[in-house]
Amino acid sequence: MTTYRDRAEAGRMLADRLSGLTGQSDVIVLGLVRGGVPVAQVVAERLGAPLDVLVVRKLGMPMAPEVAYGALGPGGVQVLNEMIAGGLSEDDRAEVRQREQAELDRRERRYRAGRPPLELTGRTAVIVDDGLATGATARAAVQVARHLGAARVVVAVPVGSQQAYEMVAADADQVVCAQTPPDFGAVGAYYDDFHEVSDDEVTEALTATA
């Protein structure tokens, strides 16, 4: 098992795994907010690619928020798993959607600060997070990126569970996962420094690579 000193070190290692994308003009690196952004910043710098953030909000079941029935993304994108969502009343769905949309809008305003929305049409989107636990957020991000027009979607993470890896691999064109420990627990166990990434850190990362 490899433990990373911090997210920046994980990003350097991940960039080595993605070196084949270096200098390709169609590549855009997307950090999943918030923990994926410091990792993505290093990856973008190493690949010589632009960095942006992908704000994805899972739509969770009212009585079991960890169970996602869909996701929201920028530009009004909504992805639903109808097999799960069909069991909810329209009122329940509307309440969850309204709450998550409000938080998505807040984050988009905070991080973008007037910058234009994502333009992924025809591009290779490299979605970066600090780890894959259940894979639910990454899977939602893949679907959102496709809805936004990405021609190819790559998910890149420093560590993840084997189950999550396989689930995301079924949706993405490629998954780069540096390690899938057989006794995987929490993502934070693989970092010496796994502090909660702040809104300011996200904004600073985007400003630094603008």
Side-chain angles (χ1 to χ4, degrees):
M1 181 187 89
T2 299
T3 300
Y4 306 107
R5 185 166 62 250
D6 53 23
R7 290 180 175 89
E9 182 180 68
R12 289 190 290 273
M13 179 282 310
L14 205 52
D16 290 341
R17 300 287 185 106
L18 294 164
S19 60
L21 298 176
T22 302
Q24 294 189 16
S25 60
D26 68 325
V27 171
I28 181 170
V29 177
L30 305 173
L32 282 183
V33 174
R34 287 181 294 215
V37 175
V39 186
Q41 180 182 5
V42 177
V43 170
E45 290 170 350
R46 293 287 181 103
L47 298 185
L51 171 70
D52 211 326
V53 294
L54 186 56
V55 182
V56 174
R57 298 296 297 177
K58 287 186 291 184
L59 298 172
M61 300 289 284
M63 300 302 291
E66 71 280 2
V67 178
Y69 69 84
L72 297 177
V77 170
Q78 178 176 262
V79 178
L80 293 179
N81 181 333
E82 291 292 355
M83 291 184 65
I84 301 175
L88 294 174
S89 70
E90 185 52 45
D91 286 346
D92 281 344
R93 288 167 64 162
E95 182 179 348
V96 173
R97 186 169 59 245
Q98 183 176 16
R99 181 177 65 247
E100 297 300 339
Q101 186 68 55
E103 178 60 14
L104 186 149
D105 291 343
R106 183 197 72 80
R107 292 190 177 198
E108 281 274 300
R109 287 193 302 270
R110 176 71 170 81
Y111 305 146
R112 254 173 226 303
R115 295 168 67 232
L118 294 172
E119 179 50 69
L120 299 185
T121 304
R123 304 190 75 165
T124 295
V126 181
I127 298 171
V128 177
D129 206 354
D130 51 16
L132 285 178
T134 66
T137 301
R139 292 184 73 190
V142 170
Q143 295 178 66
V144 168
R146 292 202 192 283
H147 276 268
L148 290 171
R152 184 166 180 257
V153 182
V154 178
V155 174
V157 292
V159 64
S161 71
Q162 183 64 34
Q163 181 180 21
Y165 171 86
E166 292 172 0
M167 290 175 63
V168 176
D171 293 337
D173 294 296
Q174 181 183 1
V175 178
V176 176
C177 184
Q179 53 175 329
T180 53
D183 55 348
F184 181 86
V187 171
Y190 299 89
Y191 290 84
D192 294 331
D193 174 3
F194 195 67
H195 69 276
E196 183 174 351
V197 176
S198 68
D199 284 344
D200 284 344
E201 285 180 86
V202 173
T203 304
E204 288 167 8
L206 289 173
T207 303
T209 56

